[in-house]
Amino acid sequence: MALCNARVFILSFLTAVIFHRSLANVAAEGSTSEESPHRRFEYKYSFKGPHLSQSDGSIPFWIHSGNAIPSADQVRITPSLRSQRGSVWTKNKVSFEHWEAEVTFRVSGRGRMGADGLALWFTSEQGLDGPVYGAADTWNGIGVFFDSFDNDGKKNNPAILVVGNNGNLVYDHQNDGSTQALGTCLRDFRNKPYPIRAKITYYRKTLTVFINNGFTPDKEDYEFCTKVENMIIPTEGFFGISAATGGLADDHDVLSFLLFRLTEPGQQPPSVDSEIPKEQKDKYQEEFQNFQQELDKKKEEFQKEHPNVQGEPIDDLYESVNDREIRQVFEGQNRIHLEIKQINRQLAMILDEQRRYVSVITDEIAKKGTSAGSGQ
């Protein structure tokens, strides 16, 4: 009997060990399959302040149209005026299999309701102008719409919608695109204390939208909005941002658009050198050499004009960031101190005037009192 119980115990122990090992293998396979992709920032398809626009008002690697107004720290796609349209688009086509876009924007207005909204695009062609949030009415690709006006009267706005199109569908304005939406979520993105952040990921034929609601300064505080699986989009296309106003109006300001190329785990992303044509490499190399020669000439001229600074450490000739901040703090305190001294001088003058007036009035009262007593 004891031998039988021992055999049963051993079999149970072996079964448990095999079961736990199989669970561990499944967990390991699951963790491997869910490994995050590699991200690489693509500056030629991005923009960000504080030096966003150039001196001529253009945005490097981007074009703007309509009522869009680039500035140093943002792009105002449309101002808060009625019947405005504007957009910005990448100049060159994007041919990434997987990508992730992070957009930071503000939608602000004085009214309780706003219009019409803002849209993020990835399309085979640039939709520079049109009735769909300032872009073309038909497109081949995907649009993520931030709709702030309730056209159908169902009180389901502001809302975020994902709408796909193969170039043949006409956008359903009357129903706010609800009949064509592949995914949607209700989020109020107007007049928030902090900028709204949207993260749109297209990875393994799945489009996912995450939103930072603008109530916190934490840039990574995203929440899930919607997901569209088995989604086929063009292999090449342009990224764009557009906005429009109608009878009501909002300011639609985009602070940054950052694009990242995603590469599946185990695959090496293509090198940057392989993506630059040889002609451009030679051109950049020639420009760099010319710049280096000009810099050397300026150094020689500076040393001839300033022989006393030759041999000094180069760091001593320039002000560091910390030194500049400390200097600005001391200069500000010095200005405050001078202002206080000036105020003290003015107060002293006012007090002297007050004392002089009081003494004069006192003397006059005393004289009148003396003359009145002698007359009595």
Side-chain angles (χ1 to χ4, degrees):
M1 184 70 179
L3 182 60
C4 182
N5 290 335
R7 288 178 177 175
V8 171
F9 175 75
I10 292 171
L11 290 174
S12 301
F13 176 75
L14 293 175
T15 304
V17 169
I18 294 171
F19 177 72
H20 285 294
R21 283 187 177 180
S22 61
L23 286 179
N25 292 333
V26 171
E29 292 176 359
S31 62
T32 303
S33 61
E34 295 177 358
E35 187 178 353
S36 300
H38 302 292
R39 298 170 82 237
R40 192 179 79 179
F41 177 63
E42 299 291 340
Y43 72 93
K44 288 187 177 181
Y45 308 100
S46 307
F47 62 80
K48 182 182 180 182
H51 306 291
L52 191 152
S53 64
Q54 296 179 333
S55 58
D56 58 354
S58 61
I59 308 172
F61 308 111
W62 289 70
I63 59 174
H64 63 279
S65 64
N67 302 113
I69 307 172
S71 63
D73 55 352
Q74 68 181 22
V75 181
R76 174 153 289 179
I77 308 297
T78 57
S80 56
L81 301 172
R82 294 182 178 180
S83 303
Q84 300 288 297
R85 294 178 181 179
S87 64
V88 292
W89 293 84
T90 56
K91 290 183 179 179
N92 302 319
K93 278 191 174 183
V94 181
S95 58
F96 306 153
E97 184 178 1
H98 313 294
W99 48 263
E100 183 174 83
E102 296 181 1
V103 189
T104 306
F105 64 92
R106 282 194 182 96
V107 178
S108 54
R110 297 182 179 181
R112 185 178 60 86
M113 297 175 59
D116 284 335
L118 182 138
L120 309 177
W121 303 92
F122 178 75
T123 58
S124 59
E125 299 295 335
Q126 298 168 335
L128 297 178
D129 186 30
V132 182
Y133 304 98
D137 201 10
T138 57
W139 66 91
N140 182 16
I142 187 68
V144 180
F145 303 152
F146 295 81
D147 189 359
S148 53
F149 185 72
D150 192 7
N151 287 289
D152 55 7
K154 295 181 179 180
K155 298 182 179 180
N156 55 355
N157 293 83
I160 302 172
L161 300 87
V162 178
V163 180
N165 198 336
N166 57 4
N168 299 321
L169 301 177
V170 178
Y171 184 66
D172 187 2
H173 292 273
Q174 297 300 322
N175 295 310
D176 288 326
S178 59
T179 58
Q180 301 166 332
L182 304 175
T184 182
C185 67
L186 297 179
R187 294 291 187 278
D188 187 2
F189 47 82
R190 296 183 66 249
N191 297 326
K192 292 298 176 282
Y194 297 97
I196 301 295
R197 299 178 183 275
K199 181 187 292 185
I200 304 167
T201 304
Y202 182 72
Y203 184 62
R204 293 177 177 175
K205 298 181 181 180
T206 300
L207 187 84
T208 311
V209 180
F210 295 92
I211 297 297
N212 184 321
N213 55 21
F215 285 109
T216 171
D218 186 4
K219 298 180 180 180
E220 299 300 326
D221 186 15
Y222 286 100
E223 59 184 21
F224 176 78
C225 173
T226 186
K227 178 190 287 187
V228 182
E229 297 180 344
N230 298 322
M231 186 169 191
I232 306 299
I233 64 175
T235 57
E236 293 183 351
F238 298 89
F239 281 98
I241 308 171
S242 67
T245 61
L248 301 175
D250 279 335
D251 285 324
H252 298 88
D253 301 323
V254 179
L255 283 69
S256 66
F257 180 92
L258 307 178
L259 184 65
F260 299 87
R261 180 203 293 261
L262 302 181
T263 307
E264 295 188 20
Q267 295 183 3
Q268 290 294 332
S271 63
V272 179
D273 294 338
S274 63
E275 298 178 357
I276 302 177
K278 186 178 182 302
E279 294 78 7
Q280 291 188 8
K281 286 183 183 179
D282 297 339
K283 179 182 177 182
Y284 295 151
Q285 185 66 26
E286 183 180 357
E287 290 179 356
F288 175 76
Q289 291 176 357
N290 294 334
F291 174 78
Q292 192 68 33
Q293 292 174 0
E294 291 292 331
L295 182 61
D296 294 338
K297 289 181 181 179
K298 290 182 179 180
K299 284 182 179 180
E300 293 177 358
E301 293 175 358
F302 178 81
Q303 291 177 357
K304 290 179 181 179
E305 295 175 359
H306 305 82
N308 296 328
V309 299
Q310 292 185 8
E312 295 184 4
I314 193 67
D315 295 337
D316 298 338
L317 301 177
Y318 300 97
E319 187 179 36
S320 64
V321 176
N322 293 331
D323 294 339
R324 183 172 66 253
E325 291 179 352
I326 294 173
R327 177 178 56 79
Q328 291 174 350
V329 169
F330 280 116
E331 289 177 354
Q333 290 180 347
N334 188 32
R335 285 194 296 269
I336 294 172
H337 179 66
L338 294 176
E339 291 292 336
I340 292 174
K341 288 179 65 177
Q342 181 68 19
I343 292 172
N344 286 332
R345 284 196 295 268
Q346 293 178 356
L347 285 175
M349 294 173 60
I350 293 172
L351 288 175
D352 291 338
E353 292 288 336
Q354 296 265 351
R355 292 192 190 97
R356 189 162 57 252
Y357 292 152
V358 169
S359 64
V360 171
I361 292 171
T362 304
D363 293 341
E364 291 294 330
I365 292 174
K367 290 179 181 178
K368 289 182 179 181
T370 303
S371 62
S374 60
Q376 183 177 2

